[in-house]
Amino acid sequence: MKAVILGTTGYTGMILLRLLADHPDVDEIIPVSSSRFGQPAASVDPGIGKAIEKKQGLCKGNLVTLEEAIAMKPDVVFAGLPHLESAKICQPFFGKSVVIDLSADFRIKDHKLFAQAYGQEPPCPELLPQSVYGLCEVYADQIKKADIIANPGCYPTCTLLPVIPLAKAGLLKGKIVANALSGISGSGRKAKVQSLFCERTENTCAYLPGQTHRHFTEILSQIATFDSGLDLFFTPHLVPLKRGMEVTTVVDLAKPVTNDEVLHIYQDFYGDRPFVNLVPGTLPETKNVWGSNRCDISWQVQGSTILLFSVIDNLVKGASGQAVQNMNIRFGFKETAGLSLYGEL
Amino acid sequence: MKAVILGTTGYTGMILLRLLADHPDVDEIIPVSSSRFGQPAASVDPGIGKAIEKKQGLCKGNLVTLEEAIAMKPDVVFAGLPHLESAKICQPFFGKSVVIDLSADFRIKDHKLFAQAYGQEPPCPELLPQSVYGLCEVYADQIKKADIIANPGCYPTCTLLPVIPLAKAGLLKGKIVANALSGISGSGRKAKVQSLFCERTENTCAYLPGQTHRHFTEILSQIATFDSGLDLFFTPHLVPLKRGMEVTTVVDLAKPVTNDEVLHIYQDFYGDRPFVNLVPGTLPETKNVWGSNRCDISWQVQGSTILLFSVIDNLVKGASGQAVQNMNIRFGFKETAGLSLYGEL
Amino acid sequence: MKAVILGTTGYTGMILLRLLADHPDVDEIIPVSSSRFGQPAASVDPGIGKAIEKKQGLCKGNLVTLEEAIAMKPDVVFAGLPHLESAKICQPFFGKSVVIDLSADFRIKDHKLFAQAYGQEPPCPELLPQSVYGLCEVYADQIKKADIIANPGCYPTCTLLPVIPLAKAGLLKGKIVANALSGISGSGRKAKVQSLFCERTENTCAYLPGQTHRHFTEILSQIATFDSGLDLFFTPHLVPLKRGMEVTTVVDLAKPVTNDEVLHIYQDFYGDRPFVNLVPGTLPETKNVWGSNRCDISWQVQGSTILLFSVIDNLVKGASGQAVQNMNIRFGFKETAGLSLYGEL
Amino acid sequence: MKAVILGTTGYTGMILLRLLADHPDVDEIIPVSSSRFGQPAASVDPGIGKAIEKKQGLCKGNLVTLEEAIAMKPDVVFAGLPHLESAKICQPFFGKSVVIDLSADFRIKDHKLFAQAYGQEPPCPELLPQSVYGLCEVYADQIKKADIIANPGCYPTCTLLPVIPLAKAGLLKGKIVANALSGISGSGRKAKVQSLFCERTENTCAYLPGQTHRHFTEILSQIATFDSGLDLFFTPHLVPLKRGMEVTTVVDLAKPVTNDEVLHIYQDFYGDRPFVNLVPGTLPETKNVWGSNRCDISWQVQGSTILLFSVIDNLVKGASGQAVQNMNIRFGFKETAGLSLYGEL
């Protein structure tokens, strides 16, 4: 099993490196960097240390170029690349390797909606029909057969997991008001003044509120699959965490329901899927899932309104961990292989 | 002008000490501590250093007992004490000094609503009618004449300032969904495991959501004064800030309105009040008001919905700063005396 | 393989729970809590989630009492208990189970030195001779045969690993000046005002400097084993990290040496031990070892002085990780089993 | 009194804007920005809000160009510009305005030492003889008469204040080992990957250790003025603070001395200077001086060694605050005018 990582020096790439280094079914990791190829992985990412070495046979411990990676004929490609560039760069792999794309390029099937969110048509429209939206707890059956998997965004993952079972059950109506809090790693590893330590510590703010964030489109188009009558207002906020995401969602109930009935709906939908952790009667905290691939979910019915609470690690279940989970499902590995079930302290 | 501080060793007391030490109209500060009286202020609060010394004539640089403070016949008393104890401890001062109570004891005039939120009747019900709710930009006329001023809670201050002018104008309808983010100092200075550095850093969560937080009652009872037809869902979250508060509020419009029309409503309501800072077209950040007594407000109309954004420093405009502002208004000092108009970096 | 954890609800216990949950050679975990026995592990520690369940056969998913743990006849006991209490509480296990004591009770063999540091005689002096100081990279041969292993303190681990090989080689002379920076988790999980988020964020200070910290005695007594002519000044500082420790050590050279010669001394001493990571030419950062059991070490010769730099995760290599490493060595497991070779981002 | 700020959009410039906005003796602030001139100060720095407006007569609330600033004939110029550029950009002001240079360009009089540290000759060597090193508590007499004041670096300020009185008294000998911890704002406001929130939170490291940091030269050349026989090893560390600096210094005593005798030496040297705050018997914490212009100092004699501890806010006493203090001394204002004597919480 040979796995390529594109964009190794970004945060999602760095997490992929760590998860795959410990993965029991991955034999060889091929880390690609267009800017730092030829350098030892551990000098570019000192945290990885020697952990990666034993899985870098052909790469001899170094980052490699895209061309070298293509020549190594990988089984799976993880693309941690910018939106609108990712699908194009991945083209040499389509049809040969399973591609798990962490960008948005395959997430929205409707060309017009994609263009509204990203300012232009999807980059590989001809491949859209065969791609699958990789929200693992919802689309596992399709993922098992897909060769192009669109790994969901962090906000969509955290927002959709508590909403979809209730929307599908016809329990919700009207306007969904979702407020999200995200750690700063969601802004990526680019050098920007507004991402500096001194700009983000002791600071919080909303950004791209209501119906203006790109992920708004991704979330609403997924919700509409289950209940086309729902409206959405989604407001993300930056909070001074490195990693972590919390979504609080307030929505009217279409019919009276008890907290216990909601529990049963979730249990029916998620069964014993390992990474959805229902914590009724508590309010989930992001530290409980830090480093884990879990999504912890709770809820409270208050009169004719239901409040939903969900937390993930934005870099794990919200990105690289779910990507590995998608690989596990696609290749028939144990779903939890290489992924953590507990949060670091 | 002699000012007593009750509860000097809590965070609100410590901020009061700082603000009054620099206040041009306060001649003498009388800091009370039931646990540490007799000790030098600077040994109990090393940050204050020598700044307090020149204003501690009668106290000789030390913390004093309640009895000593009463004997010094202060003009104004700032009570930074626990709810349900504050009004009782303040009794020797009523009728003699102006009392600015930072607890909730005088914030809710309706006995039943108070009891719902705080589990028992208000502690000094006979004084409630003469007390005034000290939201300075809304009730300045009453504050000028009041001898008991109920200093508002931090969440109510930050939530109400953008909402009241629109509610009064009849612009809002239905359910107000407010999501608030608060720095940890809002939890006070008690030793609790859940307030430890290691429990709160890299962590965020909602708590007491919807209609269950005590401040919910305070906020809704104020909103109802201006529009009794509005409902409220209010969910606070803890985020790893020492100081700072942000509220994002989503609410339906009762009639179409433009962003500019909203600006005019705010301008008409707030005029040139120094601490309301309208920042249309931007999204306010808590660091901009850190250490300041400002509330920065912006808004976005999206279809038939309006989104409101407001930030304060929870310990300043949300507590001790507004208390000083109340003193300034009550005693006819310059409204900005001793208060900062800018946020620390 | 059955492993007992004493003190499960402290930080070292919580990390042990996580490490053992993933350990390939541990079949059953018996988590003890004197205050919360009978409660499900996941309700006391929501971060652990379901990860622990599959390894809690006899405990049925719950925390148990000390008496229950004794009855389960564990192979190994990890004691994450307060100094001076630990050895006493562990007495029922001595002679029956291997005890890995994370407290200081067995760390200092000299009764007088122990009493200087801890204010009283060591609690089980009769067992001291058979106990072994569990600094894995230095005393592996003894650890293999020991039934009582004194797991080293965090400061001693991080300070000693770069110093011992050079002291043993006779390279150092005079006064060793070590300055250490520690994350707040080193202060434990007790509710104390000085450990509150608002007291520690945006704050740093030295404490117990020079020759006054308890770990000073532990460090110096170890150094003296290799070179009795060295003096030590050791000053710890609290910095606003949850986890992480850095030590900068400045010491005169007894004879001229090059950076390369130092490298060879370290390579000779540590060979291919997996958790000592030499990073010559760089300065180690704590984030590189966050969550890992690694100690990253570098050095610079400047004239007749050498500067040493070392980093660990204080809760892993500085506590629970090294405890697991001690178990691995003692029971002949793979040294890296259950331990991470890379730092979380 | 007209004051120009060069480099208004960096951290030192932003702090200067705040301090001067509140300064009782400054009538007009002229903020210069080469990149953002013409824009309103409050749009470039939303934290400053309306605080600046009343002092921007000629600038009409906007940032201006260097040329416009020159034409306004300021009394004082604060230069918050990069090393090696600052002196050149300031040339139009020399001889006309008092220039307080926050860069290193005038800090080191010896051309050779300057070149060792900064890689080239000092940019305006002909002006060096008339410039004064603006360490306010040491060189006040010269500052009163100087027209070019070299504002000291943050590390030198914090290291020198406890060392100079003892060095002058002949109390120290041999090697001074100083270890410093600095908040991230010391790295400035440039967009760099290594200054990102996610790279610095939960992270600490040493950098440029021993005798390699530029400030090493500045510190040693000052110490040599008082005792030329002392050697210095100085190692700075980055810790995840926005603002704050702590220095722990270990040095041998040239002769026996008690803690009380050291107190008297400091008292004799610093008298009642308002910003040196001696805190014998405690260990200073950076939060106590956050936002203040204070330097808190303590010490411990242990045998024949003395340990010194000092803390400042690196942006205030370590930069902009000391610059304002220099202005106060130079122009005969009250030394504390516009400066805070207490630390924010």
Side-chain angles (χ1 to χ4, degrees):
Chain A
M1 185 76 188
K2 282 189 274 189
V4 157
I5 301 172
L6 303 178
T8 310
T9 60
Y11 290 132
T12 53
M14 292 165 81
I15 298 283
L16 280 165
L17 215 55
R18 284 150 173 77
L19 296 176
L20 298 178
D22 274 354
H23 198 289
D25 302 303
V26 171
D27 305 299
E28 194 167 334
I29 301 172
I30 303 162
V32 174
S33 170
S34 59
S35 58
R36 307 189 67 172
F37 59 87
Q39 298 180 35
S43 80
V44 171
D45 178 359
I48 196 71
K50 314 168 191 168
I52 194 69
E53 286 176 15
K54 62 179 185 288
K55 291 202 172 175
Q56 277 206 285
L58 287 172
C59 300
K60 296 170 193 158
N62 296 328
L63 302 180
V64 299
T65 63
L66 181 63
E67 290 65 34
E68 291 173 293
I70 295 167
M72 290 179 196
K73 299 189 180 173
D75 301 283
V76 64
V77 174
F78 294 95
L81 298 169
H83 307 307
L84 305 173
E85 295 177 30
S86 183
K88 288 177 194 160
I89 293 172
C90 287
Q91 273 180 328
F93 297 108
F94 293 131
K96 295 168 190 155
S97 312
V98 171
V99 174
I100 301 174
D101 186 349
L102 284 84
S103 87
D105 287 359
F106 292 102
R107 289 184 195 155
I108 301 170
K109 302 246 167 174
D110 183 306
H111 295 205
K112 210 168 129 193
L113 286 178
F114 184 93
Q116 273 172 20
Y118 291 90
Q120 60 178 75
E121 294 284 300
C124 291
E126 72 287 0
L127 296 171
L128 268 178
Q130 58 183 278
S131 72
V132 163
Y133 189 69
L135 189 59
C136 298
E137 283 76 14
V138 177
Y139 297 109
D141 288 343
Q142 290 107 299
I143 293 164
K144 279 175 192 159
K145 295 171 283 185
D147 288 339
I148 303 178
I149 300 170
N151 209 60
C154 49
Y155 288 126
T157 296
C158 197
T159 308
L160 290 168
L161 286 174
V163 165
I164 282 177
L166 308 187
K168 191 181 168 217
L171 263 188
L172 309 181
K173 73 170 180 189
K175 187 192 294 182
I176 296 175
V177 179
N179 269 266
L181 315 184
S182 173
I184 311 300
S185 58
S187 307
R189 212 184 174 205
K190 285 223 188 89
K192 292 183 287 190
V193 168
Q194 67 264 39
S195 298
L196 294 177
F197 181 87
C198 295
E199 306 289 319
R200 300 264 52 105
T201 189
E202 281 296 287
N203 193 18
T204 191
C205 63
Y207 70 104
L208 295 169
Q211 307 192 318
T212 60
H213 192 282
R214 287 164 166 191
H215 284 178
F216 163 79
T217 309
E218 183 179 339
I219 300 168
L220 185 56
S221 70
Q222 282 297 320
I223 291 175
T225 308
F226 297 91
D227 184 340
S228 60
L230 295 167
D231 199 8
L232 174 69
F233 276 73
F234 169 78
T235 301
H237 300 72
L238 282 177
V239 294
L241 307 168
K242 190 197 286 193
R243 291 160 64 166
M245 174 166 287
E246 195 268 356
V247 181
T248 295
T249 303
V250 180
V251 54
D252 282 341
L253 288 163
K255 53 188 172 192
V257 71
T258 66
N259 282 325
D260 267 3
E261 287 165 345
V262 174
L263 173 61
H264 293 308
I265 290 169
Y266 282 135
Q267 286 174 332
D268 285 350
F269 194 98
Y270 289 119
D272 56 358
R273 295 301 288 273
F275 294 117
V276 168
N277 186 33
L278 304 174
V279 290
T282 73
L283 287 164
E285 308 196 24
T286 57
K287 78 173 161 60
N288 292 339
V289 298
W290 203 104
S292 155
N293 198 50
R294 263 168 38 201
C295 177
D296 282 10
I297 295 174
S298 77
W299 58 93
Q300 288 190 16
V301 174
Q302 295 191 8
S304 59
T305 299
I306 188 165
L307 295 100
L308 310 175
F309 309 94
S310 46
V311 296
I312 60 170
D313 181 323
N314 59 305
L315 291 182
V316 185
K317 183 62 178 169
S320 309
Q322 186 153 245
V324 170
Q325 190 183 359
N326 271 308
M327 175 186 74
N328 289 346
I329 293 172
R330 170 60 182 77
F331 287 87
F333 305 145
K334 197 177 172 194
E335 187 166 354
T336 55
L339 296 169
S340 178
L341 277 162
Y342 56 80
E344 288 290 337
L345 219 79
Chain B
M1 184 78 188
K2 283 189 272 189
V4 157
I5 301 173
L6 303 178
T8 310
T9 60
Y11 291 132
T12 52
M14 292 166 81
I15 298 284
L16 280 165
L17 216 55
R18 285 150 173 76
L19 295 176
L20 298 178
D22 274 354
H23 197 290
D25 301 304
V26 172
D27 304 300
E28 195 167 332
I29 301 172
I30 302 161
V32 174
S33 170
S34 59
S35 58
R36 306 190 67 173
F37 60 86
Q39 298 180 34
S43 81
V44 171
D45 179 358
I48 195 71
K50 314 168 191 169
I52 194 71
E53 287 177 14
K54 62 179 185 287
K55 290 198 172 177
Q56 278 206 284
L58 287 172
C59 301
K60 297 171 191 158
N62 295 328
L63 302 179
V64 299
T65 63
L66 182 62
E67 290 66 35
E68 292 173 292
I70 294 168
M72 289 180 196
K73 300 190 178 173
D75 301 284
V76 65
V77 173
F78 294 95
L81 298 169
H83 306 307
L84 305 174
E85 295 177 31
S86 182
K88 287 177 195 160
I89 294 172
C90 287
Q91 274 180 327
F93 297 108
F94 292 132
K96 294 170 190 154
S97 312
V98 172
V99 174
I100 300 174
D101 186 349
L102 285 83
S103 87
D105 288 359
F106 293 101
R107 288 184 196 156
I108 301 170
K109 302 248 167 172
D110 183 306
H111 296 206
K112 212 169 128 193
L113 286 179
F114 185 93
Q116 274 173 20
Y118 290 90
Q120 60 178 76
E121 294 285 300
C124 291
E126 72 286 1
L127 296 171
L128 267 178
Q130 57 184 278
S131 71
V132 164
Y133 188 70
L135 189 60
C136 298
E137 283 76 14
V138 177
Y139 297 109
D141 288 344
Q142 289 107 299
I143 293 164
K144 280 174 190 159
K145 295 170 284 185
D147 287 339
I148 303 177
I149 299 170
N151 209 59
C154 49
Y155 287 126
T157 296
C158 197
T159 308
L160 290 168
L161 286 174
V163 165
I164 283 178
L166 308 187
K168 190 179 169 218
L171 263 188
L172 309 180
K173 73 170 180 190
K175 187 192 294 182
I176 296 175
V177 179
N179 270 266
L181 316 183
S182 174
I184 311 301
S185 58
S187 307
R189 210 184 175 205
K190 285 224 187 88
K192 293 183 287 193
V193 168
Q194 67 265 39
S195 297
L196 294 177
F197 181 86
C198 295
E199 305 289 319
R200 299 263 53 102
T201 189
E202 281 297 287
N203 192 19
T204 191
C205 63
Y207 70 103
L208 296 170
Q211 307 191 317
T212 61
H213 192 283
R214 287 164 166 190
H215 284 177
F216 163 79
T217 309
E218 183 180 338
I219 300 169
L220 185 56
S221 70
Q222 282 297 320
I223 292 175
T225 309
F226 296 93
D227 183 340
S228 61
L230 295 167
D231 199 8
L232 175 69
F233 276 72
F234 170 77
T235 301
H237 299 73
L238 282 177
V239 294
L241 306 169
K242 189 197 287 192
R243 292 159 63 167
M245 173 166 289
E246 195 269 355
V247 181
T248 295
T249 303
V250 180
V251 54
D252 281 341
L253 288 164
K255 53 189 172 190
V257 71
T258 66
N259 283 325
D260 267 3
E261 288 164 345
V262 174
L263 174 61
H264 292 309
I265 291 168
Y266 282 135
Q267 286 174 331
D268 286 351
F269 194 98
Y270 289 120
D272 55 359
R273 295 301 289 272
F275 294 117
V276 168
N277 187 33
L278 305 174
V279 290
T282 73
L283 286 164
E285 308 196 24
T286 58
K287 78 172 161 62
N288 293 339
V289 299
W290 203 105
S292 154
N293 197 51
R294 263 167 39 201
C295 178
D296 283 9
I297 295 174
S298 76
W299 58 92
Q300 288 190 17
V301 174
Q302 294 191 9
S304 58
T305 299
I306 189 165
L307 296 100
L308 310 175
F309 309 94
S310 47
V311 296
I312 60 170
D313 182 323
N314 58 305
L315 290 183
V316 184
K317 182 62 179 170
S320 308
Q322 185 153 246
V324 169
Q325 189 184 359
N326 270 310
M327 174 186 75
N328 289 346
I329 293 173
R330 170 61 181 75
F331 287 88
F333 306 145
K334 198 178 170 192
E335 187 165 355
T336 55
L339 296 168
S340 178
L341 278 161
Y342 56 80
E344 288 290 336
L345 221 80
Chain C
M1 185 76 188
K2 281 189 274 188
V4 157
I5 301 172
L6 303 178
T8 310
T9 60
Y11 290 133
T12 53
M14 292 165 80
I15 298 283
L16 279 165
L17 215 54
R18 285 151 174 76
L19 296 176
L20 298 178
D22 274 353
H23 197 289
D25 302 303
V26 171
D27 304 301
E28 196 167 333
I29 301 171
I30 302 162
V32 174
S33 171
S34 59
S35 57
R36 307 190 66 173
F37 59 86
Q39 298 180 35
S43 80
V44 171
D45 179 358
I48 195 70
K50 313 167 191 169
I52 193 70
E53 286 176 14
K54 61 179 185 290
K55 291 201 173 175
Q56 279 206 281
L58 287 171
C59 300
K60 297 171 192 157
N62 296 328
L63 302 180
V64 299
T65 63
L66 181 64
E67 289 67 32
E68 292 173 292
I70 295 167
M72 289 179 196
K73 300 188 177 173
D75 302 283
V76 65
V77 173
F78 294 96
L81 298 169
H83 306 307
L84 306 174
E85 295 177 30
S86 183
K88 288 178 193 159
I89 293 171
C90 287
Q91 274 180 326
F93 297 108
F94 293 133
K96 295 169 189 156
S97 313
V98 172
V99 174
I100 300 174
D101 187 349
L102 285 83
S103 87
D105 287 358
F106 293 101
R107 288 184 196 156
I108 301 170
K109 302 246 167 173
D110 183 306
H111 296 205
K112 209 167 131 193
L113 286 178
F114 184 93
Q116 273 172 20
Y118 291 91
Q120 60 178 76
E121 294 284 300
C124 291
E126 72 286 2
L127 296 171
L128 268 179
Q130 58 184 279
S131 71
V132 165
Y133 189 69
L135 189 59
C136 299
E137 283 76 13
V138 178
Y139 297 108
D141 288 343
Q142 290 106 299
I143 292 163
K144 279 176 191 158
K145 296 171 281 186
D147 287 339
I148 303 177
I149 299 170
N151 209 59
C154 48
Y155 288 125
T157 297
C158 197
T159 307
L160 290 168
L161 286 174
V163 165
I164 283 177
L166 308 188
K168 192 182 167 214
L171 263 188
L172 309 181
K173 73 168 179 190
K175 187 191 292 181
I176 296 176
V177 179
N179 268 266
L181 315 184
S182 173
I184 311 299
S185 58
S187 307
R189 210 184 176 205
K190 285 224 188 88
K192 292 182 287 191
V193 167
Q194 67 265 39
S195 298
L196 294 177
F197 181 87
C198 295
E199 306 289 319
R200 300 263 53 104
T201 189
E202 282 295 286
N203 193 18
T204 192
C205 62
Y207 69 104
L208 295 170
Q211 306 190 319
T212 61
H213 192 283
R214 289 165 164 190
H215 284 178
F216 163 79
T217 310
E218 183 179 338
I219 299 169
L220 185 56
S221 69
Q222 282 296 321
I223 291 175
T225 308
F226 297 92
D227 183 341
S228 61
L230 295 166
D231 197 9
L232 175 69
F233 277 72
F234 169 77
T235 300
H237 300 72
L238 282 176
V239 294
L241 306 168
K242 189 197 289 192
R243 293 160 62 166
M245 174 166 288
E246 194 269 355
V247 181
T248 294
T249 303
V250 180
V251 54
D252 281 341
L253 289 164
K255 52 187 173 192
V257 72
T258 67
N259 282 326
D260 266 3
E261 287 165 345
V262 174
L263 174 61
H264 292 308
I265 290 169
Y266 282 135
Q267 285 173 333
D268 285 349
F269 193 98
Y270 289 120
D272 56 358
R273 295 301 290 272
F275 295 118
V276 168
N277 187 32
L278 305 174
V279 291
T282 73
L283 287 164
E285 310 197 22
T286 58
K287 77 174 163 61
N288 292 340
V289 299
W290 202 105
S292 155
N293 197 50
R294 266 171 31 206
C295 177
D296 283 10
I297 295 174
S298 76
W299 59 93
Q300 289 189 16
V301 174
Q302 295 191 8
S304 59
T305 299
I306 188 164
L307 295 100
L308 310 175
F309 309 93
S310 47
V311 296
I312 60 169
D313 182 323
N314 58 307
L315 291 182
V316 185
K317 183 61 179 169
S320 309
Q322 186 153 248
V324 170
Q325 189 184 357
N326 271 310
M327 175 185 75
N328 290 345
I329 293 172
R330 169 61 182 76
F331 287 87
F333 305 145
K334 196 178 172 193
E335 187 166 353
T336 56
L339 296 169
S340 178
L341 278 161
Y342 56 80
E344 288 290 336
L345 220 79
Chain D
M1 184 77 189
K2 281 188 275 190
V4 157
I5 301 172
L6 303 178
T8 310
T9 60
Y11 291 132
T12 52
M14 292 165 81
I15 298 283
L16 279 166
L17 215 55
R18 285 151 173 77
L19 295 176
L20 298 179
D22 274 353
H23 198 290
D25 301 303
V26 171
D27 304 300
E28 196 167 332
I29 302 171
I30 302 163
V32 173
S33 170
S34 59
S35 58
R36 307 189 68 173
F37 59 86
Q39 297 181 33
S43 81
V44 170
D45 179 359
I48 195 71
K50 313 168 192 169
I52 194 70
E53 285 177 15
K54 61 180 186 289
K55 291 199 172 177
Q56 278 205 284
L58 288 172
C59 300
K60 297 172 191 156
N62 296 328
L63 302 179
V64 299
T65 63
L66 181 63
E67 290 67 34
E68 291 173 293
I70 295 167
M72 289 179 195
K73 301 188 178 175
D75 301 284
V76 65
V77 173
F78 294 95
L81 298 169
H83 306 308
L84 306 174
E85 295 176 32
S86 184
K88 287 178 196 161
I89 294 172
C90 287
Q91 274 181 324
F93 297 108
F94 292 132
K96 295 170 189 154
S97 312
V98 171
V99 174
I100 300 173
D101 187 348
L102 285 83
S103 86
D105 288 358
F106 293 102
R107 289 184 196 156
I108 301 170
K109 302 245 167 174
D110 183 305
H111 295 206
K112 209 168 130 193
L113 286 178
F114 185 93
Q116 273 172 20
Y118 290 91
Q120 60 178 76
E121 294 283 300
C124 291
E126 73 286 1
L127 296 171
L128 268 179
Q130 57 183 282
S131 71
V132 164
Y133 189 69
L135 190 59
C136 299
E137 283 76 14
V138 178
Y139 297 109
D141 288 343
Q142 290 106 301
I143 293 165
K144 280 175 191 157
K145 294 171 283 185
D147 286 339
I148 303 177
I149 300 169
N151 209 59
C154 48
Y155 287 125
T157 296
C158 198
T159 307
L160 291 169
L161 285 174
V163 166
I164 283 177
L166 308 187
K168 192 181 167 215
L171 264 187
L172 310 181
K173 73 169 180 189
K175 187 191 293 182
I176 297 175
V177 179
N179 268 266
L181 316 183
S182 173
I184 312 300
S185 58
S187 307
R189 211 184 174 203
K190 285 222 188 90
K192 293 182 285 192
V193 167
Q194 67 265 39
S195 298
L196 293 178
F197 181 86
C198 295
E199 305 289 319
R200 300 262 54 101
T201 190
E202 281 296 285
N203 193 19
T204 193
C205 63
Y207 70 104
L208 295 169
Q211 307 191 318
T212 61
H213 192 283
R214 289 165 164 189
H215 284 178
F216 163 79
T217 309
E218 183 180 338
I219 300 169
L220 185 56
S221 70
Q222 282 296 321
I223 291 175
T225 308
F226 297 92
D227 183 341
S228 60
L230 295 166
D231 198 8
L232 174 70
F233 276 73
F234 169 78
T235 301
H237 299 72
L238 281 177
V239 294
L241 307 168
K242 190 197 287 191
R243 292 159 65 166
M245 173 167 287
E246 196 269 353
V247 181
T248 295
T249 303
V250 181
V251 54
D252 281 342
L253 289 164
K255 52 187 173 193
V257 71
T258 67
N259 282 325
D260 267 2
E261 287 165 344
V262 174
L263 173 62
H264 292 309
I265 290 169
Y266 283 135
Q267 286 174 331
D268 285 350
F269 193 98
Y270 289 120
D272 55 358
R273 294 301 290 272
F275 294 118
V276 168
N277 187 33
L278 305 174
V279 290
T282 73
L283 286 163
E285 309 196 23
T286 58
K287 77 173 164 61
N288 292 340
V289 298
W290 203 105
S292 154
N293 197 52
R294 265 170 33 204
C295 177
D296 283 10
I297 295 174
S298 76
W299 57 94
Q300 288 189 17
V301 174
Q302 294 190 9
S304 59
T305 299
I306 188 164
L307 295 99
L308 309 175
F309 309 94
S310 48
V311 296
I312 60 169
D313 182 324
N314 59 306
L315 291 183
V316 184
K317 182 62 179 169
S320 309
Q322 186 153 245
V324 169
Q325 189 183 359
N326 270 310
M327 175 186 74
N328 290 345
I329 293 172
R330 169 62 181 75
F331 287 88
F333 306 144
K334 198 178 169 193
E335 187 166 354
T336 56
L339 296 169
S340 178
L341 277 161
Y342 56 80
E344 287 291 336
L345 220 78

